[in-house]
Amino acid sequence: MEKVLDQYNSRVYKNRKEHMVTVNRNEKNEIAANVRTIPGIITQRGCCYAGCKGVVLGPIKDAFIITHGPIGCAFYSWGTRRHKAKKEDGVDNYLHYCFSTDMQEADIVFGGEKKLKKAIEEAMDLFHPSTIMICSTCPVGLIGDDIHAVAKWAEQEYKIKCIAFSCEGYKGVSQSAGHHIANNQLVRYVIGEGDREIKTKFAVNILGEYNIGGDGWETERLLKRIGYEVVSTFTGDSSMDDLKNAHKANLSLVQCHRSINYIAELIETKYGIPWMKVNFIGVEGTIETLKNIARYFNDPELMARTEAVIADELDLIEEDMAYYKSKLKGKTAAIYVGGSRAHHYQFLLDDLGVHTILAGYEFGHREEYEGREVIPFVKPDADSKNIESITVQPDPEKYHVYLSEEDINRLKEEKLLDYYGGMVKDMNDGTYMVDDLNHFETEEFLKLLKPDIFFSGIKDKFVAQKGGTLSRQLHSYDYSGPYSCFRGAVNFARDITMGIYTPAWSYVKTPWKSAPILEGTIGGG
Ligand code: CFM
Ligand code: HCA
């Protein structure tokens, strides 16, 4: 770490040092996170608009989203995230479209509301959507267009739902602010409006699952196989009608905590529906999650069905997983992604014998690294008076994590009972956590640590590969997926085995490894 930091001037050194931790599980592992990136540093982070429009709202298939602003923001958030959606009878699907007001200089000077209204008129003429969402980009906030007034006008004029999101890119320090804005509006204007009939007593919402590469479909298939009813998924392959009915579920399952914790907590406060942190990435992680959910409902038949489905799904993948593990065991990985996958994917890598030596989030908050302080308590089973599960939660009203006795004992033994939820408890001593890893640090850490694979995104993938390190995108899964649950684990294992064993790496001869970098002069005609 010092070798990387030493190359900075003293101010940057001081700042960046606080974002780096060498894991020592006997200590607190405090890390600076969710704070502003120093201007001039090439960060991988995105903006508030990306978090709101791109991440949370983007996957809702029948929401007609208008990006209000100059064309760039709409264009660069068009179709890159691979949140998939199926055609559904009677439900519009706008996912392949990209709508924008394409503001010009005159709109910036004289105001863009007229153009926004015109865009809505055009949308109504051509597509007749029942929901329009308006998302602001930076200039809209700067010139003060009142998108909320325009939304009200559209609702009256066309008798549709129109929701405005003031998610100007500059708000906050990353995508994270945009998640919050999207979550608030969905709770305020969408959830609670439906009156769908719920057929089972095991009705769940899947929150923080955006169906990247089909992950949500795989999770839903598994849950339905066991006997759960999935009321809504926020927001992968979702329709407005699904989201409107979220308050009808018995339990919310939270896959990506970072982007959706606000909705989980607000649904709990407003409708009394508890939520539980889950993880469907990794074989062991999925098994533990399925058992935890069954424990929550505390129904013997559901429990038996869970065990049976786990056994069957395992049976189907065991041979493949063993083969890939034999190819991957002992390899090392570095992971740098948004706000949850840098943790979740460590479970899947563990299943394959791959050690994670460096991990970091673009915009995770401190609790995603350090975990939350928890107060353990035993939840007695009301019916049988048996102690069925042990609940660990920092705030009994808000945070529900159901753990087995085995888990509790392990946590006790490892002196980790005081913290729950962050990635640090799942990392080994001597590995590194680096927050908001920038381009310079990426190259330096890759040179020093030489992981066999670097999981990241589009902005740094090719820099890594040109330097001879395999890189797979953990945002979009390149062109692959699903990676969730049991079958997804095999897809993932296959993809990284192919990547590591491709003969291409023997042909990568970076010039700087054999000769000094060319020097020359610029100019002179
Ligand atoms: Fe949650 Fe996500 Fe992630 Fe995220 Fe994202 Fe994404 Fe991500 Mo890219 S919601 S925090 S804002 S799991 S878009 S589907 S891959 S950075 S780790
Ligand atoms: C975003 C979206 C992103 C970007 C991925 C990447 C995604 O942050 O705005 O940088 O490769 O998953 O599509 O995180």
Side-chain angles (χ1 to χ4, degrees):
M1 235 156 63
E2 286 301 325
K3 279 188 190 155
V4 178
L5 287 167
D6 269 345
Q7 301 178 65
Y8 284 133
N9 67 37
S10 59
R11 275 183 65 187
V12 179
Y13 177 101
K14 192 166 166 289
N15 175 295
R16 289 301 302 155
K17 192 177 166 66
E18 290 173 1
H19 292 262
M20 298 184 189
V21 162
T22 308
V23 172
N24 177 346
R25 289 151 62 99
N26 291 320
E27 284 177 4
K28 249 188 139 187
N29 298 288
E30 273 179 40
I31 190 164
N34 189 32
V35 289
R36 200 164 88 108
T37 307
I38 302 173
I41 281 188
I42 306 179
T43 173
Q44 316 279 34
R45 283 174 159 179
C47 67
C48 179
Y49 161 82
C52 181
K53 188 269 178 186
V55 173
V56 180
L57 306 179
I60 310 171
K61 57 188 161 192
D62 53 347
F64 188 105
I65 307 179
I66 300 177
T67 296
H68 187 36
I71 197 65
C73 303
F75 181 77
Y76 285 104
S77 59
W78 180 16
T80 55
R81 185 154 163 268
R82 300 193 70 235
H83 41 237
K84 290 168 170 271
K86 281 198 182 97
K87 185 171 164 18
E88 218 180 298
D89 281 346
V91 178
D92 294 332
N93 187 346
Y94 300 115
L95 249 54
H96 296 291
Y97 290 93
C98 170
F99 305 107
S100 172
T101 48
D102 184 18
M103 284 171 100
Q104 305 290 316
E105 212 173 315
D107 308 311
I108 303 287
V109 175
F110 298 108
E113 286 173 26
K114 264 191 250 141
K115 200 163 192 192
L116 179 59
K117 281 188 178 173
K118 206 161 163 282
I120 292 172
E121 280 163 12
E122 214 175 299
M124 292 312 297
D125 281 352
L126 295 173
F127 294 92
H128 328 291
S130 48
T131 304
I132 291 183
M133 294 181 174
I134 303 165
C135 289
S136 290
T137 63
C138 295
V140 172
L142 298 176
I143 64 174
D145 274 2
D146 189 349
I147 58 167
H148 300 273
V150 175
K152 278 213 181 80
W153 163 82
E155 291 207 324
Q156 278 158 13
E157 184 75 17
Y158 295 107
K159 309 287 172 257
I160 57 161
K161 183 177 270 304
C162 186
I163 314 173
F165 298 79
S166 293
C167 56
E168 285 82 358
Y170 54 72
K171 285 188 173 165
V173 299
S174 68
Q175 290 94 316
S176 187
H179 303 146
H180 206 156
I181 290 167
N183 282 206
N184 282 346
Q185 297 292 73
L186 291 179
V187 172
R188 198 173 297 157
Y189 296 115
V190 180
I191 298 168
E193 287 196 353
D195 58 358
R196 189 185 289 174
E197 199 189 319
I198 300 301
K199 296 178 198 77
T200 68
K201 48 183 176 162
F202 310 126
V204 297
N205 297 315
I206 313 175
L207 305 186
E209 171 50 71
Y210 302 94
N211 202 28
I212 310 299
D215 273 359
W217 289 332
E218 187 54 15
T219 304
E220 209 169 305
R221 181 191 67 79
L222 188 62
L223 289 171
K224 283 186 177 160
R225 229 194 127 184
I226 294 173
Y228 294 104
E229 180 175 349
V230 178
V231 181
S232 72
T233 301
F234 277 71
T235 49
D237 194 14
S238 65
S239 66
M240 286 297 289
D241 191 56
D242 298 333
L243 308 186
K244 285 178 184 173
N245 283 287
H247 65 299
K248 296 272 182 167
N250 305 111
L251 176 71
S252 296
L253 309 175
V254 176
Q255 170 67 26
C256 167
H257 173 263
R258 182 64 272 133
S259 60
I260 210 99
N261 65 74
Y262 321 96
I263 285 188
E265 297 200 356
L266 289 168
I267 290 183
E268 179 160 31
T269 312
K270 214 166 155 184
Y271 303 103
I273 301 163
W275 62 275
M276 178 192 277
K277 178 75 189 82
V278 295
N279 175 27
F280 288 104
I281 301 297
V283 177
E284 291 305 320
T286 303
I287 294 174
E288 194 179 314
T289 286
L290 291 176
K291 288 185 177 173
N292 279 346
I293 307 170
R295 250 181 235 129
Y296 172 82
F297 283 103
N298 199 15
D299 177 284
E301 250 175 59
L302 185 76
M303 200 72 100
R305 182 101 188 109
T306 302
E307 296 286 354
V309 169
I310 291 174
D312 191 52
E313 295 274 333
L314 273 179
D315 202 41
L316 287 170
I317 64 159
E318 242 158 14
E319 205 179 309
D320 285 344
M321 285 302 276
Y323 168 73
Y324 290 123
K325 190 168 179 177
S326 75
K327 303 295 261 181
L328 296 170
K329 201 163 182 279
K331 303 280 182 207
T332 56
I335 316 183
Y336 179 64
V337 248
S340 80
R341 294 182 175 190
H343 183 193
H344 289 153
Y345 274 86
Q346 293 189 36
F347 293 90
L348 183 43
L349 290 168
D350 270 353
D351 291 339
L352 296 163
V354 180
H355 306 295
T356 304
I357 51 178
L358 178 143
Y361 298 121
E362 286 173 37
F363 50 79
H365 296 199
R366 277 181 65 179
E367 68 186 73
E368 268 85 43
Y369 289 102
E370 300 169 15
R372 288 209 209 177
E373 219 160 340
V374 296
I375 313 153
F377 75 89
V378 179
K379 176 184 170 247
D381 165 17
D383 293 324
S384 65
K385 301 276 176 277
N386 286 333
I387 291 167
E388 276 291 326
S389 60
I390 296 179
T391 309
V392 174
Q393 43 191 65
D395 175 347
E397 290 304 311
K398 282 192 174 161
Y399 198 71
H400 300 265
V401 182
Y402 293 80
L403 299 176
S404 67
E405 230 156 314
E406 257 165 44
D407 289 330
I408 291 285
N409 290 339
R410 179 178 60 81
L411 292 174
K412 265 188 197 154
E413 249 168 51
E414 294 174 18
K415 295 194 175 55
L416 286 168
L417 200 55
D418 290 340
Y419 285 87
Y420 188 81
M423 69 154 69
V424 71
K425 73 179 192 325
D426 297 307
M427 296 194 68
N428 290 325
D429 282 347
T431 58
Y432 302 102
M433 292 197 301
V434 182
D435 176 67
D436 191 12
L437 183 78
N438 56 50
H439 269 239
F440 167 71
E441 289 164 10
T442 301
E443 289 188 49
E444 294 303 299
F445 275 115
L446 291 183
K447 271 190 242 159
L448 287 164
L449 300 176
K450 300 185 180 57
D452 293 298
I453 181 163
F454 175 51
F455 292 103
S456 68
I458 194 70
K459 300 166 208 134
D460 39 7
K461 176 186 172 98
F462 298 103
V463 177
Q465 296 210 147
K466 285 175 186 172
T469 307
L470 164 68
S471 179
R472 294 279 316 173
Q473 295 186 62
L474 265 200
H475 297 260
S476 66
Y477 305 158
D478 294 279
Y479 306 101
S480 190
Y483 284 167
S484 63
C485 307
F486 299 98
R487 293 186 189 174
V490 176
N491 291 340
F492 177 81
R494 180 202 60 217
D495 288 350
I496 60 173
T497 307
M498 275 195 319
I500 285 180
Y501 285 92
T502 173
W505 301 114
S506 62
Y507 300 108
V508 179
K509 294 203 170 46
T510 51
W512 55 88
K513 279 186 184 157
S514 50
I517 291 171
L518 290 177
E519 280 177 29
T521 44
I522 299 173

